[in-house]
Amino acid sequence: MLLCVNSIADKEDMATVNVTKKEVTRDLDHCDIPYYVSEFVEREVGNDYDSLRKLGSLIDKLSENKKQLEEQVLTVSSEVPKRIQKALKNAEDSKKSLNRLLEEEALLSDAIDSHLLKAEPWMEELGVLISQVEEIERHLSYLKWISRIEELSDNIQQYLMTNNVPEAASTLAFMAELDIKLQESSCSHLLAFVRSTVKFWHKILKDKLSSDFEEVLTQLRWPFVGPPQSQAFGLAAPANAPDIYNNLETLFCQLLKLQTSDELLTKPKQLPEKYSLPPSPPIILPIQIMLNPLQKRFKYHFTGNKPTNVLNKPEWYLTQVLMWIGNHSKFLDDKIQPILDKAGSSVNAGLEFSRALVMLILEKLAADIPFLLYDDALFCHLVDEVLQFERELYSVHGYLSTLPSCMHILSEESCFQRWLTVEKKFALQKMDSMLSSEAAWISQYKDITDVDEMKVPDCAETFMTLLLVITDRYKNLPTASRKLQFLGLQKELVDDFRIRLTQVMKEESRASLGFRYCAILNAVNYIATVLADWADNVFFLQLQQAELEVCAESSTVSQLQLGQLASMESSVFDEMINLLERLKQDMLSRQVHHVFKEVTDAAKLYKKERWLSLPSQAEQAVMSLSSTACPMLLTLRDRLLQLEQQLCHSLFKIFWQMLAEKVDTFIYQEIIMANHFNEGGAAQLQFDMSRNLFPLFSHYCKRPENYFKHIKEACIILNLNVGSALLLKDVLQSASENESSLKPNQPSATAALNELGVYKLAQRDVEILLNLRAIWPNTGK
């Protein structure tokens, strides 16, 4: 590098020191010294000839750098061999250590093999001895278990012989726990022995305790067939009541101790898996015994060929069960629940009693439903009665939704699909009848002003009541998927009703201002409003979450729709609401178009008014409405009054605002912009608008002129005095000529217009309006 720089210095006088750059390309694959030299010279010298004087100092600096680099290279080249020698020595040492370890490993391996060979006969003998010992230990353990069970069995026998039933029950409970612990054992005979022993003593104790318990219940006049106030004993207090209740508590607690063994030996009756009942523990033994007489009565009356067992009277057995629950609830809460609490049990006596009776209902429904599945009247009656039963069971008796219920039976696939079909069929029939009724389009609150704000026709209110009833019928279904199917049915019904309303609307479209057309519009608005309110209901928000989860799993909707559902931007009824809103807007547009056409027809003479030759305000004693404007304003007034009475407030507000916008545009474009005005014509136009048109809308808002901004601002421009008009015209003209840079003291066009109260009209429109003024003074320009 240094030689290259010296060479450059020696040739600095060549060819008039031509330092024009000649670009040197860089070779990226090799160490390109010419490129780096070129870069260095360009950086240090460049095109500045005076910089060549620094070449001496640059050469000294580069020489110093070269010397330092050479010293570093010598140092590194002397250290590298030492490191390599050290690494080689370490490798040699490691190799020697490895060889030594391998020799030791071979010796050790030979020694181990020799030892194992010598010890093999001993191992075989020892293995036989160990196996024998283990076998003896298993036999000993087996015998200990048998001895333990026999000991417990003897204890139970002794306790029973001494009439110590509580201890016998406790011992049996302990034996049942041992039975549970042995379930993982492969000793089948031992398991059978333990189970048979538990079964033997369980039967003896259960029979004895059950007999004594039933005797106590008989003394209490159990079961109670009437309401609490008519019960012969139960909660009453005769002389021997304390002894009876003490016996009741003692026997109840002893029966509770048999619960573990009873669950081992008794297999509870289960309904088929297709009903998807939630898991629940068996009914506790004392409650089972208390329920025996009621179960016998139920089966006697509601099974077989008894006259009380008829398919068309499900209310008989449903009502009977509710009566039993109600009749016994006070006794269970006051007498049985304290016993359970004292025994440390978490069971609720009332719920346990209700759960057992509900299971009777579920078995009865599962048996009856296949016989009436295809009889619409019977099936519908059954569903109605079951839903009524469920409502009372939950609301009056505090039944829990986590327990088995009738809704699980109705949710079985074939039954549920039939329920959906029947629900839809009867809903459609109801829709047919409500729409064909003579009072379909009349509000039942028409004579009550405070209530009839929405002016809802009877058919729409009846339809929404129908949807509400359907919601109430399915909201207690056990799974979200079933609820979503009912929600789908509701959406179908809303869409069907919308289509029917559309068909009736088309029939009435020629009379778009008629009573029935307005009633249809009120119905559409009411349904959309109610659905929007329902969308914020907790129940439907939960369904929206369930629908989101289903959609996410099935991937049937876009990521955008999923995001909207998840963020609650949309609701389960959005699609229906959008369709109804579209129909509402279409119907309102038809009405506005109809009224607007009438207004424009009535304004034909007003359009031809001779605005250029009307007398000035000073020439008239009193200003009066233009006679040609009367038909137009009368038409507006009559239609506004008519529709105010026929449309609900929110719809009428949209209507008059849409109409005002169209009238504003019409008068501005077809009358104002199409004519020239003298001073009298401008004054007359302003009088007609501000004193007659605007007040027509003053009943519906405080400042009606704000809905006619084109007209209002056009009147301002047309009625400016001549001086102001000339000044404004000059400002607008100056602004047009020099839009980018106005004179400092000259106001802008927008500021000038705003000062006059003109905000809506564009500058170009104002210039046209100024040119519509017929009389201008001669300014000499």
Side-chain angles (χ1 to χ4, degrees):
M1 183 187 295
L2 186 60
L3 293 174
C4 293
V5 173
N6 289 333
S7 177
I8 292 171
D10 293 339
K11 296 177 182 179
E12 61 180 344
D13 296 328
M14 290 176 57
T16 65
V17 199
N18 184 10
V19 263
T20 55
K21 289 191 297 182
K22 189 172 185 181
E23 186 176 352
V24 179
T25 58
R26 182 179 181 183
D27 187 353
L28 298 176
D29 298 331
H30 302 87
C31 181
D32 196 351
I33 293 177
Y35 173 79
Y36 290 111
V37 171
S38 174
E39 285 290 313
F40 178 78
V41 172
E42 180 67 25
R43 184 173 65 252
E44 296 293 338
V45 178
N47 295 330
D48 187 5
Y49 301 150
D50 294 336
S51 298
L52 294 174
R53 298 174 183 173
K54 298 188 295 182
L55 284 179
S57 61
L58 281 175
I59 291 171
D60 294 339
K61 183 178 177 181
L62 291 172
S63 299
E64 184 66 25
N65 289 343
K66 177 185 175 185
K67 183 178 180 182
Q68 292 177 359
L69 290 172
E70 287 174 346
E71 290 176 355
Q72 290 177 6
V73 169
L74 289 173
T75 302
V76 171
S77 61
S78 63
E79 288 180 355
V80 167
K82 293 179 182 178
R83 293 181 182 176
I84 293 174
Q85 289 174 1
K86 185 178 180 180
L88 288 172
K89 186 177 183 305
N90 290 337
E92 288 292 334
D93 293 342
S94 299
K95 183 178 178 181
K96 290 177 182 178
S97 298
L98 179 60
N99 289 332
R100 187 171 58 255
L101 289 173
L102 288 172
E103 291 172 0
E104 292 176 359
E105 185 269 339
L107 292 173
L108 184 60
S109 177
D110 292 341
I112 290 172
D113 291 340
S114 175
H115 178 74
L116 290 175
L117 190 60
K118 292 177 182 178
E120 187 172 356
W122 303 342
M123 292 297 293
E124 291 176 357
E125 294 176 6
L126 188 60
V128 172
L129 291 174
I130 291 173
S131 299
Q132 291 173 354
V133 170
E134 290 176 347
E135 183 72 18
I136 292 170
E137 285 181 346
R138 284 196 296 271
H139 291 166
L140 183 60
S141 177
Y142 194 92
L143 291 173
K144 284 182 178 178
W145 273 104
I146 293 175
S147 175
R148 181 64 172 149
I149 297 302
E150 287 180 342
E151 181 185 352
L152 292 173
S153 179
D154 292 341
N155 290 340
I156 293 173
Q157 185 177 9
Q158 290 176 7
Y159 290 139
L160 289 177
M161 290 174 65
T162 58
N163 205 28
N164 190 352
V165 178
E167 286 298 327
S170 299
T171 306
L172 178 59
F174 181 70
M175 188 186 294
E177 291 174 0
L178 293 179
D179 188 338
I180 295 171
K181 290 180 180 178
L182 283 171
Q183 290 305 306
E184 296 180 358
S185 172
S186 59
C187 302
S188 57
H189 297 293
L190 177 62
L191 290 175
F193 171 70
V194 176
R195 180 62 56 88
S196 62
T197 307
V198 171
K199 185 176 182 180
F200 175 78
W201 290 116
H202 177 79
K203 184 177 186 306
I204 292 174
L205 282 170
K206 182 178 178 181
D207 290 346
K208 176 176 176 53
L209 292 173
S210 297
S211 176
D212 295 345
F213 191 59
E214 287 172 355
E215 185 178 342
V216 172
L217 290 175
T218 303
Q219 293 175 2
L220 291 170
R221 305 291 192 272
W222 181 276
F224 310 137
V225 293
Q229 60 269 22
S230 66
Q231 292 165 11
F233 181 7
L235 294 170
N240 62 340
D243 294 336
I244 295 175
Y245 285 129
N246 286 336
N247 290 336
L248 175 72
E249 180 177 351
T250 301
L251 292 168
F252 195 98
C253 291
Q254 291 172 4
L255 284 167
L256 272 180
K257 293 178 181 179
L258 302 185
Q259 184 66 27
T260 305
S261 57
D262 192 68
E263 291 178 11
L264 276 176
L265 301 171
T266 308
K267 211 168 190 180
K269 189 175 181 181
Q270 296 285 349
L271 287 171
E273 291 184 3
K274 65 179 181 178
Y275 296 112
S276 302
L277 295 181
S280 55
I283 305 298
I284 59 174
L285 185 56
I287 296 291
Q288 288 182 35
I289 297 170
M290 296 173 73
L291 282 163
N292 282 337
L294 295 176
Q295 289 173 338
K296 289 177 182 177
R297 291 184 183 211
F298 187 91
K299 290 178 180 177
Y300 176 83
H301 287 292
F302 304 116
T303 58
N305 297 322
K306 303 297 186 298
T308 48
N309 180 33
V310 286
L311 291 175
N312 62 346
K313 293 294 182 182
E315 60 269 26
W316 285 355
Y317 61 83
L318 294 170
T319 304
Q320 183 63 72
V321 166
L322 288 174
M323 287 176 59
W324 284 342
I325 293 173
N327 292 344
H328 297 87
S329 61
K330 185 167 178 57
F331 177 82
L332 292 168
D333 291 341
D334 292 350
K335 302 300 180 183
I336 303 300
Q337 190 60 49
I339 299 174
L340 287 168
D341 295 340
K342 189 175 180 181
S345 174
S346 60
V347 174
N348 182 292
L351 276 179
E352 195 78 351
F353 187 80
S354 300
R355 180 162 70 93
L357 290 176
V358 167
M359 288 306 298
L360 291 176
I361 297 289
L362 302 191
E363 293 170 9
K364 174 67 174 168
L365 287 174
D368 284 358
I369 283 177
F371 296 101
L372 47 79
L373 202 56
Y374 297 101
D375 188 319
D376 289 352
L378 289 180
F379 183 76
C380 192
H381 177 62
L382 173 72
V383 171
D384 290 342
E385 291 298 330
V386 166
L387 293 174
Q388 180 61 34
F389 169 80
E390 289 270 305
R391 275 193 290 271
E392 187 169 346
L393 186 66
Y394 284 104
S395 61
V396 177
H397 302 295
Y399 198 71
L400 299 179
S401 58
T402 54
L403 299 176
S405 70
C406 300
M407 300 306 283
H408 289 93
I409 305 298
L410 294 181
S411 295
E412 188 270 326
E413 183 63 28
S414 59
C415 180
F416 184 77
Q417 293 303 326
R418 187 62 185 161
W419 183 12
L420 271 179
T421 303
V422 170
E423 201 78 37
K424 183 177 181 180
K425 175 185 174 182
F426 282 97
L428 292 175
Q429 290 177 357
K430 182 70 174 175
M431 286 162 59
D432 290 336
S433 64
M434 70 176 72
L435 287 172
S436 58
S437 168
E438 292 182 0
W441 307 108
I442 301 173
S443 170
Q444 55 182 318
Y445 309 111
K446 62 179 181 178
D447 298 325
I448 310 174
T449 308
D450 295 340
V451 180
D452 197 34
E453 289 183 359
M454 296 287 287
K455 294 184 169 61
V456 187
D458 186 63
C459 64
E461 186 159 7
T462 306
F463 175 69
M464 295 311 292
T465 303
L466 173 66
L467 290 185
L468 191 61
V469 169
I470 291 175
T471 302
D472 189 55
R473 287 161 72 85
Y474 78 82
K475 69 181 180 182
N476 289 324
L477 282 168
T479 61
S481 60
R482 295 303 192 199
K483 294 177 185 177
L484 287 175
Q485 286 179 270
F486 256 103
L487 178 63
L489 171 62
Q490 288 181 302
K491 291 180 180 180
E492 285 183 36
L493 294 176
V494 171
D495 198 47
D496 187 273
F497 196 73
R498 177 189 64 82
I499 292 172
R500 293 175 187 233
L501 290 178
T502 304
Q503 291 171 346
V504 180
M505 180 270 291
K506 289 179 178 177
E507 294 173 3
E508 301 292 328
S509 58
R510 292 187 178 180
S512 59
L513 303 183
F515 170 77
R516 179 173 289 193
Y517 190 94
C518 292
I520 297 169
L521 184 52
N522 287 329
V524 171
N525 180 66
Y526 174 70
I527 295 171
T529 303
V530 173
L531 289 179
D533 290 341
W534 285 1
D536 296 328
N537 184 280
V538 174
F539 175 72
F540 288 109
L541 289 174
Q542 291 171 343
L543 284 188
Q544 181 176 347
Q545 180 63 29
E547 188 176 44
L548 172 65
E549 294 171 1
V550 172
C551 293
E553 291 175 3
S554 61
S555 302
T556 55
V557 297
S558 67
Q559 291 297 321
L560 175 61
Q561 290 172 314
L562 280 176
Q564 290 175 338
L565 280 171
S567 62
M568 300 298 176
E569 290 180 9
S570 61
S571 71
V572 290
F573 295 113
D574 264 10
E575 185 179 353
M576 298 297 102
I577 294 173
N578 291 337
L579 290 172
L580 290 167
E581 288 291 336
R582 193 182 305 168
L583 176 59
K584 181 177 81 174
Q585 290 299 324
D586 179 58
M587 294 181 71
L588 277 172
S589 298
R590 286 172 183 261
Q591 288 187 322
V592 171
H593 177 74
H594 184 97
V595 174
F596 179 67
K597 189 174 184 304
E598 289 185 351
V599 170
T600 55
D601 289 344
K604 288 180 179 177
L605 292 176
Y606 195 59
K607 287 172 63 177
K608 299 177 181 179
E609 185 69 60
R610 301 179 64 186
W611 303 102
L612 197 56
S613 58
L614 291 179
S616 65
Q617 189 172 359
E619 296 173 3
Q620 301 181 57
V622 179
M623 291 285 290
S624 62
L625 174 65
S626 300
S627 59
T628 53
C630 290
M632 176 183 73
L633 297 177
L634 285 173
T635 301
L636 262 178
R637 184 200 65 182
D638 294 344
R639 291 311 187 192
L640 287 172
L641 290 174
Q642 176 188 351
L643 290 172
E644 184 183 15
Q645 294 174 354
Q646 294 181 349
L647 294 179
C648 70
H649 176 73
S650 60
L651 286 176
F652 180 68
K653 182 178 180 180
I654 299 172
F655 167 81
W656 73 255
Q657 288 179 357
M658 291 172 64
L659 181 62
E661 182 181 357
K662 292 181 76 69
V663 170
D664 179 47
T665 304
F666 167 73
I667 292 178
Y668 176 71
Q669 293 180 351
E670 302 294 327
I671 296 178
I672 297 177
M673 299 296 279
N675 288 283
H676 286 76
F677 297 83
N678 65 359
E679 182 183 348
Q684 184 63 50
L685 176 68
Q686 186 170 30
F687 181 82
D688 292 345
M689 298 297 105
S690 60
R691 300 292 295 276
N692 294 278
L693 174 64
F694 298 167
L696 286 179
F697 293 84
S698 61
H699 298 290
Y700 319 124
C701 62
K702 292 182 178 179
R703 300 180 64 83
E705 64 273 12
N706 288 338
Y707 294 91
F708 298 90
K709 290 184 178 179
H710 288 97
I711 297 175
K712 184 183 82 170
E713 294 180 3
C715 289
I716 291 174
I717 299 300
L718 292 175
N719 285 277
L720 284 175
N721 59 51
V722 176
S724 299
L726 285 172
L727 181 59
L728 177 62
K729 193 171 185 180
D730 186 48
V731 169
L732 296 179
Q733 186 175 359
S734 300
S736 299
E737 291 174 355
N738 192 4
E739 293 180 356
S740 58
S741 57
L742 291 171
K743 297 178 182 179
N745 296 327
Q746 185 175 355
S748 68
T750 302
L753 292 173
N754 292 348
E755 188 177 347
L756 295 173
V758 177
Y759 300 92
K760 178 76 172 178
L761 296 180
Q763 178 181 336
R764 178 60 183 159
D765 292 337
V766 175
E767 291 175 353
I768 294 172
L769 286 170
L770 288 172
N771 290 330
L772 295 179
R773 294 168 61 104
I775 302 174
W776 289 96
N778 186 2
T779 59
K781 293 185 179 180

